[in-house]
Amino acid sequence: MRILHLIYDDLKNPWLGGGGALGARLIADFLKSKSHKTVIVCAAYPGARKFARQSGIIYMHIGFGNNYLISRLSYTFFSFLFVLKNYRRYDLIIDDVTPFSPTFS
């Protein structure tokens, strides 16, 4: 199964690298152990690569990582467009929504 996990947070994000990112990683690790493929889409931050693979999990950083506010706003906008364009490629979409980073998926 192909799984898309949307979450603003990333463990390496200097503005918000917290529990949500750790939870997303643990879920992806568990799903990988069951032979599922997970793509985690999170927000850009300074130094973030567009695509990264960590232990078989693909991370995609979207938006602009110039500063915290631009990162938040651009993630909200681009995550919506990403889902709109790519939702048919995934069997399951996990949307970690907070009031501070809605995705409108």
Side-chain angles (χ1 to χ4, degrees):
M1 184 168 19
R2 290 190 44 87
I3 299 156
L4 174 64
H5 193 147
L6 299 162
I7 183 168
Y8 173 84
D9 203 1
D10 181 327
L11 285 171
K12 295 179 182 176
N13 187 326
W15 300 306
L16 192 67
L22 180 59
R25 177 59 184 257
L26 293 173
I27 290 168
D29 282 338
F30 173 77
L31 293 170
K32 184 179 72 171
S33 75
K34 304 295 182 189
S35 300
H36 301 298
K37 296 181 181 182
T38 302
V39 174
I40 297 177
V41 174
C42 45
Y45 54 86
R49 297 185 331 204
K50 290 285 184 198
F51 299 95
R53 184 181 298 267
Q54 297 174 5
S55 302
I57 300 164
I58 297 171
Y59 283 83
M60 296 178 63
H61 297 93
I62 60 173
F64 303 108
N66 304 24
N67 64 49
Y68 180 68
L69 180 60
I70 298 298
S71 174
R72 283 278 189 189
L73 293 174
S74 62
Y75 170 77
T76 296
F77 179 73
F78 287 113
S79 63
F80 169 75
L81 294 178
F82 183 88
V83 171
L84 191 61
K85 182 178 177 183
N86 297 293
Y87 73 93
R88 287 187 177 103
R89 296 180 183 183
Y90 298 96
D91 301 307
L92 175 67
I93 297 175
I94 301 169
D95 193 358
D96 274 334
V97 177
T98 69
F100 302 106
S101 58
T103 58
F104 304 109
S105 63

